[in-house]
Amino acid sequence: MGRYLTMLLLLMLLVQHFGNCEGNQIPHHAPPMQFTQVQYNATVYENSAAKTYVGHPVKMGIYITNPLWDIRYKIISGDSENLFKAEEYVLGNFCFLRIRTKGGNTAILNREVKDHYMLTVKAVEKNTNAETRTKVRVQVLDTNDLRPLFSPTSYSVSLPENTAIRTSIARVSATDADIGTNGEFYYSFKERTDVFAIHPTSGVIVLTGRLDYSDTKRYEMEILAVDRGLKLYGSSGISSMAKLTVHVEQANEYAPVITAVTLTPSESDKDPTYAVVTVEDNDQGPNGEIASLNIVAGDPLQQFRTVRSVPGGKEYRIKAIGPIDWESHPFGYNLTLQAKDKGNPPQFSSVKVVHVTSPLFKSGPVRFEKEIYRAEISEFAPPNTPVIMVKALPSYPHLKYIFKNTPGKVKFNLNTHTGLITTSEPIKAQYSSHFELEVVTSDRRASAKVLIKVLGMNSNPPEFTQTSYKASFDENVPIGTSVMRVSAKDPDEGENGYVTYSIANLNPLPFVIDHFSGVISTSEGLDYELMPRLYNLRIRASDWGIPYRREVEVPVTIILNNLNDNIPLFEKINCEGTIPRDLGVGEQITTVSAIDADELQLVRYQIESGNELDLFSLNPNSGVLSLKQSLTDGLGAKISFHSLKITATDGENFAKPLYINITVATSRKPANLQCEETGVAKMLAEKLLQANKLHSRGEVEDVFFDTHSVNLHAPQFRSTLPSSIEVREDQPVGSSIILMNATDLDTGFNGKLVYVISGGNEDSSFVVDMESGMLKILSPLDREVKDKYTLNITVYDLGIPQKSAWHLLDVRILDANDNPPEFLQDSYFVEVSENKELNSEIIQIEATDKDLGANREVKYSLLTDTDKFTINAVTGVVKVVGVLDREEQHVYFLKIEARDQPTEEPQLFSTVILKVSIEDVNDNPPKFIPSNYHVKIREDLPEGTIITWLEAYDPDLGQSGQVRYSLLDSGDGTFDVDKLSGAIRIVQRLDYEKKQLYNLTVRAKDKGKPISLSSTCYVEVEVVDVNENLHPPRFSIFADKGFIKEDAPVGSSVMTVSAYDEDTGRDGEIRYSIRDGSGIGVFRIDEEKGIIETADRLDRETTSHYWLTVYATDQGVVPLSSFIEIYIEVGDVNDNAPQTTEPVYYPEVMENSPKDVSVIQIEAFDPDSSSSEKLTYKITSGNPQGFFSINPKTGLITTTSRKLDREQQGEHILEVTVTDNGIPAKSTVARVIVKVLDENDNKPQFLQKFYKIRLPERGKPERERTARREPIYRVIAADKDEGPNAEISYSIEDGDEHGKFFIEPKTGVVSSKKFSAAREYDILSIKAVDNGRPQKSSTTRLHIEWIPKPVPPTEPIYFEEAFFSFTVMESDPVAHMIGVISVEPLGTPLWFDITDMHPHRHRNRKSENIKTA
């Protein structure tokens, strides 16, 4: 039940709370301060003066929505150079942002340095310090403050005097850092010239007149670059100047002219000439010299070249660089020639096509006669001996033979033209007995193998392995000892290479040689001391060849070595004598001497014994014996006899000892010794004498000379052999011509001869038999190719060294008629005027015949059937015999024959084509292309500018085709035309405003004679207007203000705006218009006078002001405009009552508030401006007790000294009357419902001071722990306050010592777990506390009497009504009784309980009364 009471209480509180939300008032806030745009675009001209305001297409600034605002602008970033300043200007409800340039020493705006600034502007409201920002992009506009600048400032060109008219010769360049029209400029010459012209915008300089080196060698001109922008302002224009120097060079006037004569070379020609080309140039000096003649087309493989006939000459020959591929071009090559002279720039000739053909070209693939050729060659064959001739068919003149890479080709030569293979050096079989060569044609399309066998001959003598030999051996070796071995080899085969050896010395020597092995050994004993010590041998090596043997000798040196086989021998032995005792120390006693026959080492002497006292000294080298110590004192004085044993040694052998017995005498006689002679010296001298005899015998020279082994004589041709012979060119191949025999006085190989042609036979026309010397024809002869040969016939013997002789034989070739006549050109061309007189000679045709005599005489005939031309049979002169008409036939092709005149042989002939071109006469006038001209030009182009080039064509040639131009109508002298180039120039300044169109008549006339022809054309020149509208209209101020009362009728004049324009004419005529603003449609403007009028009714209360953007626009071709911002204020008329901001106000105020506490500000306004801020406020109802007062001026309602008591009256309804000061005055009433807010000034109050209840006893349950708390009663306290001040919390303060009672803090429901018996009492002290600050409380007592449980009634209990209905008001206080529930029968104690209910209801257990909770 307590839970339902709680819910009911909460419902009542919620209903009371939400019932007051309707009076809440949302405060009204003005819009924040902000710019009309987050970014503006503005412009200002560079170099602007100080305090120049920037221009902007829209209003910049902030709408003033609060009249108390005081706005200031400041640039906070983007102006690092401190160039700009932001200013405020307030007009109406708008605070304009104006940006201007600063004055003083501030830097000047320069677009070329910086073309825009991004400024950040901050707006600050001074009263509230509110801020807002915007960006202003200031674009710096260009002014014409810079002039054009040339780079470079001087130009120099060199032109040949024959430079064609209309040639671009140079280009000048200038730049202007300005932009738009200010950056545009025109080029022009400072002084007029008819020779040159300059394009006004590109700066290209064109030649318009002819140059003449002899007249003017240099032109110096000044070129201006004039700024267009300044010229438009009427100034002459700031310009810059450049200098142009033109150097005229002597012209390379004439191009080289090529004439060519084609030739058909012979097959045998080694370096054929296919054409003779002559290049002529009529210029003088270097311009007339020929730099080169080139083959520019027709020779993709680069097989031909041009060669000057003589250095620096003008005649060239076309020759082949290498093998020519005739097979792929069977009909020859069409070579395109072009010559270049040495002029600067060089002139090139017209191309000339020369047809080059192969001589005797036969169709069909090239094949060798044999696939394999076999040949033999003797080893005796000398160099240049023919081996074999290969031949490929068909035989083309261009055909050449080459060796394919084979190892043996270095031994042979191949004639590339004839195919003859010859030896290039002697062939030795020992190196290779067989050679396999491969010959291919130069085009690599045919090949053949050549197998050559080398016939081995006794061609090689034996050859020792060394050029000399040297050996040594010791004396006393046994007989037959091998000393050395010689070796020789013979590369010949068989017995020709079998070698035997012999000693060729005539004198006998103590050596023998093995004939087969070559080992040399001793044949007797040899003693170094008794026999020669050096032997020179000549060893001969011989082969066993046929028909003769070949021999060779080699020197051999043999040295006999000495051995130490003799001991030294003393010359004297057994010496005895005396020496005086007083012999001085160092004095000589005697000299011993020993001889050694070996002569190998010096003999050394030594005392072996007898000198123990060291009294004597023996020189080991000289053998001198001398006294070493004195014999008069010491140990030597005691001894009188000394026996010395002396020996000699050669280092290896010792001689028999020599004994010297010395007696020391006291006498003073000198030393005297006596010895025995051995005779050794005599015996050795005899041996040496015998040895010398043997030496002298061995050195005798060999006087034998073998005449068979030395080649003493060279071959000799017989003296009767002629030095010159004649042979007809048609002599058959193989014919013998002459025997070239020679003799040699030697025998054997030294006298055997072989013959060869060693020179003069380059085309392999002849051959000589190697053995017999017979000269024969090897290949066909052709006198026209070569009419004389000088053959070098060489004869060799086979001796060693080989000797030879030569004989020069001149072979003259006699002529046969084997060549037809040949024309000097492949074709002929001549130009003939169509009015050529009859019988006039036009050209001479010439043909030549390579034969001689009658065979070369030529006669001409005309094979083409024509009555216009004839030819002289002897001279070849062609004449005109019929009338020519170019219009009828402009070219003739004549076929001409040339035939030779032999007496005994058949005639031969050839033909050629003569092309006759008919020249025109002057019968055509010049023709303009196009027939008429239309030109558009700007009016500000500078004088001297070429506006167009005339082009007239005259098909005639020469002067008849040379056109000269003239103006028949020059447009009042505004234009002229260059007579040569046809360039039409401006010579007077144009003005569109004066004349817009010119019709010029131009005549073109040729220079034909005797009559010149002409034609005319029309040139329409349209002048295009250049915008000269330089100044836009200007208003004196940027914004203005107008005023008009709201009751003014439609059409009333408001104000007049006026602008001025510095331009003249239509450019200065101004028209006004309204293009933007809130007043569009409400106002109109007179477009000519600028008067602004109303166009609709006004209502200041609806719109108190208007903004208009008025434009002033001039009438230029490109119109310019400016605008002014107009603020029109609508004047007030008192036609509106005051109005409060809210129809009903819902303020709140605390109860007990002191005096002068503000309750609410009544805000009222009057749309009429006259009553604005002049309203009167008065409380006219709802304040009888004077709780509130109102300020009559401000409308502020405040409390008075009387205290408000919410508990007495919680709401006051006031009526406030607001009155304006108009006449008559108007007023309005506003209702103010003041809610009095609660203050915690009341404590909770229980409904009873104490409560007394009776409850049935409660028995103790079986299980105490399962006992539940059961509600027993609810105490209720009420608080007159509200909100938290009326929120009550309950607690048991006393009487619950055992903790068996509980109370719900919020609902006051008391429950118990106590087990009480009947007649027990419980008294609880309960406290109620509110939630106010400070808290207030009160207490009550609850008396509980526990009574016995009553006896259940016997009669059923029932409610008096089945359904009870009660009504409760939301304003009913707590504990207000709402109804009574009754039951029957009465008299029995009853307890009621609510078992099902809506929330927030509870029951009284004792009473049946139902109350609000």
Side-chain angles (χ1 to χ4, degrees), residues 8 24 98 150 362 453 508 533 798 1015 1049 1136 1139 1209 1254 1290:
L8 181 60
N24 289 350
R98 303 204 70 194
F150 280 99
K362 301 176 183 178
K453 180 181 179 182
R533 291 124 183 225
L798 299 180
S1015 60
N1136 293 282
Q1139 297 180 12
Q1209 186 173 350
R1254 300 172 68 195
Y1290 300 94

Side-chain angles (χ1 to χ4, degrees), residues 447-467:
S447 65
K449 288 185 177 181
V450 179
L451 303 180
I452 301 174
K453 180 181 179 182
V454 181
L455 299 178
M457 299 291 178
N458 191 15
S459 59
N460 297 288
E463 184 176 355
F464 283 97
T465 57
Q466 298 178 205
T467 58

Side-chain angles (χ1 to χ4, degrees), residues 185-332:
F185 53 89
Y186 287 137
Y187 297 100
S188 62
F189 287 115
K190 185 176 181 181
E191 296 181 0
R192 177 176 173 178
T193 173
D194 293 332
V195 183
F196 303 96
I198 186 168
H199 193 278
T201 57
S202 69
V204 174
I205 299 168
V206 180
L207 181 66
T208 59
R210 296 203 180 277
L211 302 175
D212 188 345
Y213 177 81
S214 61
D215 181 36
T216 305
K217 296 180 176 59
R218 185 172 69 177
Y219 292 89
E220 291 187 351
M221 292 162 286
E222 293 178 331
I223 299 173
L224 300 178
V226 181
D227 199 314
R228 282 192 70 201
L230 288 178
K231 191 172 183 180
L232 293 176
Y233 282 98
S235 169
S236 59
I238 295 178
S239 64
S240 60
M241 186 172 65
K243 289 187 177 181
L244 171 65
T245 303
V246 179
H247 299 275
V248 181
E249 297 178 346
Q250 196 166 8
N252 186 9
E253 294 188 31
Y254 299 100
V257 178
I258 298 176
T259 57
V261 177
T262 57
L263 305 175
T264 303
S266 170
E267 291 184 80
S268 59
D269 195 346
K270 295 181 180 179
D271 187 15
T273 298
Y274 294 95
V276 177
V277 182
T278 302
V279 183
E280 296 290 343
D281 193 314
N282 293 331
D283 289 311
Q284 300 298 321
N287 294 337
E289 296 178 9
I290 306 304
S292 62
L293 175 67
N294 297 315
I295 301 172
V296 297
D299 185 21
L301 302 179
Q302 298 183 355
Q303 302 176 94
F304 298 92
R305 62 189 175 120
T306 59
V307 182
R308 289 186 194 265
S309 299
V310 293
K314 296 187 177 182
E315 182 181 274
Y316 291 80
R317 295 179 182 273
I318 296 179
K319 293 181 175 289
I321 296 176
I324 299 176
D325 182 13
W326 294 110
E327 192 166 323
S328 63
H329 290 73
F331 300 105

Side-chain angles (χ1 to χ4, degrees), residues 754-799:
V754 290
Y755 299 87
V756 71
I757 301 175
S758 59
N761 190 32
E762 288 78 9
D763 55 0
S764 305
S765 297
F766 304 95
V767 68
V768 65
D769 188 274
M770 185 182 76
E771 299 287 344
S772 66
M774 178 61 72
L775 183 65
K776 300 179 180 180
I777 296 176
L778 180 61
S779 59
L781 303 174
D782 189 349
R783 186 201 65 79
E784 288 73 29
V785 175
K786 193 167 186 178
D787 62 354
K788 182 181 179 181
Y789 295 85
T790 299
L791 302 179
N792 187 349
I793 310 298
T794 304
V795 60
Y796 296 88
D797 63 21
L798 299 180

Side-chain angles (χ1 to χ4, degrees), residues 1 126 141 198 257 298-299 331 393 469 475 555 565 604 719 817 962 984 1047 1062 1084 1143 1356:
M1 178 178 176
K126 294 182 65 177
L141 302 179
I198 186 168
V257 178
D299 185 21
F331 300 105
L393 297 175
Y469 292 87
E475 62 179 332
D565 57 347
R604 297 180 66 83
S719 60
N817 189 30
Q962 294 180 5
I984 298 180
D1047 58 352
E1062 295 179 7
R1084 59 175 177 259

Side-chain angles (χ1 to χ4, degrees), residues 46 85 93 294 318 378 477 585 608 621 787 894 909 926-927 1191 1306 1395:
E46 63 176 333
K85 181 180 180 181
N93 67 333
N294 297 315
I318 296 179
S378 170
V477 297
V585 175
E608 287 190 352
N621 296 320
D787 62 354
L894 307 178
F909 67 91
K927 182 179 180 181
N1191 189 309
K1306 297 299 181 183
T1395 59

